[in-house]
Each structure stands twice: as C-alpha cells, then as structure tokens.
Amino acid sequence: MRVAREFLSAPATVRAMTQPAGRYAPSPSGDLHIGNLRTALAAWLDARASGRRFLVRIEDVDEQRSSREVAARQLEHLAALGIDWDGEPVYQQDRYGLYEQALTQLDTFPCYCTRRDIREAARAPHTPPSFYPGTCIGRTDIPEMGDRAPAIRFHGGGEMTLVDDRHGTVTGPVDHCVLRRGGREPGWAYNLACVVDDIEQGVDRVVRGDDLLASAPTQVAIITALGATPPTYLHVPLVVGEDGERLAKRNGATTLPELTRHWSIREIVAMLGRSLGIEGANTAREMVARYSPQAIPAEPWEFSAPQ
C-alpha cells in the first residue's frame, strides 16, 4: 500500500522490520508494582522463547505525569529481575515527528466536546461503555474555543478482528479514539503513539494486561489504516489484591524496593514465574525454556502484599 511505503520509508524502520520484536512499554509516572513487573517478565519470556528481539519503550507522552528519573528507576528494577533488552530504550517524547506524520495519513475529525458532553452523550443506547459516541462527526456548529485546541479523533466505527493466544479470535468495536489531545496544552495520545511506535520498531507481538483487550480492536484498525500488519497479542490476566480488585496503593507494599525488604530477588522472580505457570526456576534465564503462553493461568493472580 502507498501509505505503508510512505510511513515505513525511513532507514531505521527498514532495519527494525528485518527481525520481529516484542516489547514492554511502561509509563514513567511511578515505580513499577508487582503486576507491572509480572507483565514485563511475561513479555520478556515470550520474546526470548520465540527468538524475537525484546525492546523497552518509555511511554511518556503524558508530560505532566512523566519523569525521566522514574523511568531510570523502572529500568533498574527490570534489570534487577534479569530482564534485558536489545538496543537502547526509546522515549516517546523524542518521537513526536513520527506521530505528526502518521496523523496526516489517517481519517480524523476535530472534537469540541467537553468531558461533560461526552459523559452525557455516552448514555445513549448502543454506545459501548467508555467509547466516544461520535457527537462531533460532521459537526458544523463550531463552538468558541478561545485558546483551547480541539482534540483530534480517529474516524472509527464498525468492528475489527485480532488474534490473541488466550482469547482466540476476538472481534470488537472500533472507537473514535483521541489521537491528539486538545485543550490549552495539546499532546499526543496513547492510542496513536503506541501504534506508530510498534510499526516503526517492527513489533509483531504484544504481551500486556487483560485490561487493554477492549482497546485492541481500535488499535488494530489504526494499524491497518496505516497500511501495516497488526501484531498477534497475548493479554494476560491481571494481578489483584486480596479484595479481588486490581492492585493499588491500598494493597500495601508492591514495588520492588518494598518487596525486597521481605524477599530476595531470586524469591521474587521465582514467585513471578510460578504465577505464570513456571515451576522450579529461580532466575528469568532459567524460565525461558519452560515458558509457554498456554501455561499461564486463566484467572487473575491474587497477590498478598507483605505488611
């Protein structure tokens, strides 16, 4: 496709596409908790066991909440668990030109809605929860914005199908998601940045938490619109606290520095491995030969944080 050739014409992209890759892409807004570390280990094992490159990408498009110091700690904690990566980690704040280029190749529309507008319109029938109801598609009455820029949304709609190792063939609705945030300080949105980076870096396998499965059909639609081939996916069950809810600060000690007050690194890695269906291994390297996506338990992993 012409769009694919234009978008993937840079020499770095051509080099990246020569060998498939998996990735882990944390947001540097806080230290990684044990659920994040478990997903990182699963993604690393999946890449190493399949002969793929393993990449680390720092998803710091949210400039208000992101910190290079936090990112550095995240990398230290991954390395402490035995997770290594190929090449230098990339930072999304260094890649805005790629997102600008991709945005021009997509069918988009400006959105002037406030959060309240979206909440009220989303109550309409047949709108999936959390999806944008399409209010501004074809809108001609342009409200006064002052010094605020409209958001730019993907012209979604319909459905898209993807392949997931746990969930099989998944077909879901495509959201009119935000690609560039509006307001007084416009910025790039996750759904565009992660897709563009995956294409540019040659990522053909995405391992991440179950909470992102609902957004996958939309991302596949954007990938397809850019003329690229979607990756295969593995969405792993989340880590939950004793209350059955996903981990949060209320669950107590969950970051690596907190956990090492109670367990050694080897014990933490072994525990993470067992949660992924791998018995009898105490290091990440030992787990590679024993890893299987099918062995990962289907239910969320209940974690009891030390007090």
Side-chain angles (χ1 to χ4, degrees):
M1 292 179 63
R2 180 179 63 84
V3 169
R5 286 199 299 270
E6 288 178 355
F7 183 67
L8 301 177
S9 61
T13 299
V14 174
R15 290 195 299 272
M17 294 298 288
T18 59
Q19 183 184 358
R23 50 83 161 171
Y24 181 62
S27 299
S29 57
D31 286 346
L32 301 173
H33 61 60
I34 195 165
N36 306 133
L37 297 171
R38 179 179 186 252
T39 301
L41 179 61
W44 182 85
L45 289 169
D46 195 87
R48 294 303 186 216
S50 62
R52 289 176 168 86
R53 294 174 298 134
F54 183 70
L55 309 177
V56 172
R57 182 172 71 233
I58 306 301
E59 298 199 330
D60 56 353
V61 289
D62 187 343
E63 298 186 11
Q64 299 300 314
R65 299 179 60 202
S66 297
S67 162
R68 291 277 171 131
E69 290 75 21
V70 170
R73 286 203 305 273
Q74 291 179 338
L75 295 174
E76 290 175 4
H77 296 169
L78 293 176
L81 296 182
I83 295 172
D84 61 355
W85 48 88
D86 298 296
E88 292 296 322
V90 301
Y91 292 77
Q92 289 186 328
Q93 288 185 22
D94 299 331
R95 302 165 69 82
Y96 288 175
L98 287 172
Y99 312 148
E100 188 71 54
Q101 182 183 1
L103 187 66
T104 66
Q105 298 172 11
L106 295 171
D107 185 5
T108 64
F109 63 93
C111 176
Y112 305 93
C113 294
T114 64
R115 292 181 180 178
R116 179 178 178 181
D117 293 336
I118 294 172
R119 283 197 304 269
E120 292 179 351
R123 298 172 186 164
H126 313 303
T127 299
S130 79
F131 274 44
Y132 179 71
T135 306
C136 284
I137 297 176
R139 184 171 182 174
T140 57
D141 59 316
I142 307 304
E144 175 60 44
M145 297 288 290
D147 60 351
R148 294 181 297 115
I152 303 299
R153 289 184 178 271
F154 179 58
H155 202 307
E159 295 183 325
M160 189 60 70
T161 298
L162 60 107
V163 177
D164 183 278
D165 268 15
R166 286 192 60 251
H167 299 275
T169 301
V170 176
T171 299
V174 176
D175 190 15
H176 304 290
C177 67
V178 172
L179 302 177
R180 189 171 67 195
R181 300 188 303 273
R184 291 183 173 83
E185 296 182 4
W188 297 106
Y190 164 78
N191 278 309
L192 178 66
C194 77
V195 160
V196 171
D197 288 333
D198 283 347
I199 296 173
E200 196 273 338
Q201 293 188 286
V203 172
D204 73 335
R205 175 72 161 175
V206 172
V207 179
R208 59 189 186 182
D210 256 346
D211 55 326
L212 294 173
L213 179 60
S215 65
T218 298
Q219 292 169 4
V220 167
I222 298 172
I223 293 169
T224 303
L226 289 170
T229 301
T232 59
Y233 291 88
L234 173 61
H235 288 87
V236 299
L238 300 179
V239 180
V240 299
E242 293 177 301
D243 56 2
E245 299 295 326
R246 64 183 299 174
L247 286 184
K249 290 183 178 180
R250 65 176 181 277
N251 298 106
T254 61
T255 67
L256 190 61
E258 293 167 337
L259 295 171
T260 53
R261 297 172 190 164
H262 304 270
W263 297 303
S264 70
I265 290 290
R266 286 174 65 87
E267 289 173 327
I268 294 169
V269 172
M271 177 173 57
L272 291 172
R274 289 193 297 273
S275 80
L276 296 171
I278 301 173
E279 297 288 344
N282 296 312
T283 69
R285 186 60 60 182
E286 291 174 350
M287 295 176 187
V288 174
R290 310 182 192 191
Y291 168 78
S292 169
Q294 289 71 36
I296 298 175
E299 299 300 320
W301 178 40
E302 183 178 307
F303 174 73
S304 299
Q307 302 298 321

